[in-house]
Amino acid sequence: MDFELSEKEMLLQKSVREFAENEIPPKMEDMEETGEFPVDLLGPMGRLGITGVITPPEYGGVGLGYMARTIVLEELGRVCAAMPMALQVHHMACAGINDFGTEEQKKKYLPPMARGETMGVVAVTDPSGGSDLIGMQTRAEPQKDKYLLTGRKCFITNFDTSDFWVIIAKTSEGSKGLSAFIVEKDAPGAKVGRKEQKTGLRGSNTGELVFDGVELTKDNLLGQEGGGLAVAIKTISETGRLGMAATALGILNACIEEACKFAIERELYGKSISALQAIQWHIADIYADLEIARLLTYRASCMKDQNMRFDPESALAKSFACEAAARSAKKAIEIHGSYGIMREYAVQRLLRDALVTIPAGGTGEIAKIVLSRAALSKFKKR
Ligand SMILES: Cc1cc2nc3c(=O)[nH]c(=O)nc-3n(C[C@H](O)[C@H](O)[C@H](O)COP(=O)(O)OP(=O)(O)OC[C@H]3O[C@@H](n4cnc5c(N)ncnc54)[C@H](O)[C@@H]3O)c2cc1C
């Protein structure tokens, strides 16, 4: 077990921190107001290697892996958590195509995504199938030599800033009845629907995708017909949950910084409130949440890089980090007194952002199902 970052990872961390501190703050007011992701930062992120951080070099990426990706998302999230939210879903599309795509699909989609010229999406959720994937009603009806895609996906990140979509749809019934497709956004019958106005993570676009008889061929299939559940589960549990854990980790970094700075500066009774034990306990709790979330998220990232199975570890990292971020942001607000709920102070945004991370990528209850299944299977009667 090695707790040191490699030289490459430290360099990456430094360059992403500089990028995040210089490039994101001038955009943040606009992101909060309009709820729009700053697409003009995609190119610079491509040049920095972070849109293609997990994409192998043969497909135009830098191939640094998941630990490096976690560092990238954490650093961006420390400044503004909407940035890693959008980027992590883009990475999910990269991972899905890299893991399940044909050579032709990889060559077509991965290099421009790595350069930050195009953006991707993985769209699983639909109104009747959130946690219940099999319950989805978006259908790709098999015809003679094509499929007809009809339905609606909801809560989709990057829905209108992306160039193509990885869609999971029903091609028949049951767990082998789901299939994954790559759908171009200008395909006839495909359109973006309603944009959601979220409480937090405002600068990452979330909304609907609508399909009305979109004609797809076998070339659009990602993986095998009937293999959509595997595409969804692998991309969500390995890339999506880790991505949300790292996003929440970014928020926790911001919580400890904002809480400590305010506590040191604010004076009451003729001294800094950081001298009050009640404030110190809040700070200790935030610090503990940050350190535990970081250990869990880094461990799961290393397991992914070592090709180990890590479903419970990623579910635990995700659910712990997102709940911890919400809990810690609330404590950071309390340290600020009434200042904490004022728009000028970052802590109110941290709480709004943290709350939105909780369902994204799978709810806490679904994480508990993964954890209890892992624990019970260890003690199963033979
Ligand atoms: C900011 C954001 C971004 C998102 N981005 C994407 C995206 O890019 N792509 C995408 O496909 N989806 C995306 N989602 C959707 C997200 O993955 C779903 O919202 C999530 O999986 C939960 O589904 P649901 O909202 O339909 O809740 P439901 O599944 O309806 O759940 C409602 C409640 O029931 C509980 N519940 C459900 N099943 C069980 C069970 N078996 N046991 C116990 N309790 C249960 C849930 O935990 C929850 O409390 C995003 C969501 C958000 C908030």
Side-chain angles (χ1 to χ4, degrees):
M1 214 175 280
D2 184 358
F3 289 101
E4 289 291 319
L5 296 184
S6 70
E7 210 168 304
K8 255 190 189 166
E9 287 163 350
M10 279 196 283
L11 261 173
L12 179 71
Q13 187 178 43
K14 187 168 172 284
S15 56
V16 178
R17 180 167 289 212
E18 271 169 25
F19 168 84
E21 287 181 347
N22 294 329
E23 304 299 328
I24 302 174
K27 312 266 182 199
M28 278 171 67
E29 204 180 311
D30 204 40
M31 289 164 79
E32 281 297 308
E33 283 303 319
T34 62
E36 287 293 328
F37 176 77
V39 277
D40 57 324
L41 290 184
L42 269 180
M45 289 201 287
R47 288 190 282 284
L48 209 55
I50 62 185
T51 38
V53 66
I54 53 168
T55 303
E58 60 268 37
Y59 301 113
V62 291
L64 287 178
Y66 277 73
M67 187 57 223
R69 174 192 186 236
T70 289
I71 292 168
V72 166
L73 299 175
E74 180 182 359
E75 286 302 326
L76 294 175
R78 180 181 152 260
V79 175
C80 174
M83 295 297 292
M85 177 74 230
L87 186 62
Q88 88 95 0
V89 173
H90 170 80
H91 290 154
M92 285 172 74
C94 297
I97 293 172
N98 189 52
D99 290 341
F100 296 94
T102 60
E103 195 54 29
E104 213 180 340
Q105 288 170 333
K106 291 186 201 185
K107 282 191 177 139
K108 177 175 177 188
Y109 292 105
L110 293 179
M113 288 174 87
R115 291 193 294 268
E117 290 164 9
T118 57
M119 208 175 191
V121 154
V122 174
V124 180
T125 310
D126 76 13
S128 50
S131 309
D132 174 17
L133 298 192
I134 313 289
M136 69 173 61
Q137 284 183 5
T138 304
R139 296 194 77 88
E141 208 57 56
Q143 311 266 309
K144 199 165 158 245
D145 49 5
K146 62 182 183 195
Y147 301 88
L148 274 188
L149 178 67
T150 303
R152 179 181 293 267
K153 292 288 173 186
C154 60
F155 306 144
I156 305 305
T157 306
N158 306 339
F159 78 113
D160 60 346
T161 52
S162 48
D163 302 87
F164 66 89
W165 311 317
V166 173
I167 305 290
I168 310 292
K170 266 191 171 171
T171 40
S172 62
E173 298 307 314
S175 62
K176 296 225 166 74
L178 299 183
S179 303
F181 297 89
I182 304 178
V183 181
E184 303 278 345
K185 82 167 182 197
D186 53 8
K191 60 175 189 189
V192 297
R194 193 180 77 170
K195 180 177 158 111
E196 303 297 346
Q197 290 301 332
K198 303 193 301 302
T199 310
L201 297 178
R202 300 252 328 135
S204 70
N205 302 34
T206 311
E208 289 183 335
L209 301 176
V210 183
F211 312 105
D212 186 8
V214 180
E215 277 194 21
L216 303 172
T217 67
K218 297 252 181 240
D219 291 344
N220 295 98
L221 262 178
L222 180 64
Q224 303 296 316
E225 182 181 320
L229 190 62
V231 176
I233 289 180
K234 189 169 167 70
T235 50
I236 293 170
S237 70
E238 297 189 356
T239 311
R241 290 204 179 119
L242 266 187
M244 289 319 301
T247 300
L249 195 50
I251 298 173
L252 281 158
N253 277 275
C255 287
I256 196 79
E257 286 182 35
E258 296 297 330
C260 289
K261 282 184 195 157
F262 186 89
I264 290 165
E265 273 165 28
R266 174 73 169 151
E267 290 195 358
L268 289 175
Y269 320 107
K271 60 184 180 196
S272 159
I273 61 166
S274 63
L276 300 171
Q277 197 176 52
I279 299 292
Q280 292 166 359
W281 285 3
H282 275 328
I283 286 174
D285 287 342
I286 299 172
Y287 185 76
D289 269 344
L290 167 63
E291 289 298 314
I292 298 166
R294 185 180 278 133
L295 281 173
L296 292 173
T297 309
Y298 283 17
R299 174 181 68 163
S301 308
C302 289
M303 289 175 83
K304 167 69 182 159
D305 281 337
Q306 290 166 25
N307 290 321
M308 295 166 75
R309 280 215 65 173
F310 71 113
D311 315 7
E313 287 80 4
S314 71
L316 178 58
K318 194 269 165 189
S319 56
F320 183 89
C322 296
E323 288 290 347
R327 186 162 69 223
S328 287
K330 181 170 171 282
K331 286 195 173 121
I333 288 176
E334 281 162 20
I335 291 173
H336 280 65
S338 288
Y339 297 100
I341 49 149
M342 303 299 167
R343 287 290 290 266
E344 307 90 283
Y345 286 83
V347 282
Q348 49 78 30
R349 174 177 51 80
L350 299 180
L351 179 59
R352 290 188 287 108
D353 286 351
L355 289 173
V356 178
T357 65
I358 291 173
T363 65
E365 288 76 19
I366 298 301
K368 281 184 182 162
I369 293 175
V370 176
L371 296 181
S372 61
R373 207 176 275 157
L376 288 167
S377 71
K378 284 189 187 164
F379 300 99
K380 215 160 62 186
K381 282 187 191 158
R382 309 233 168 250

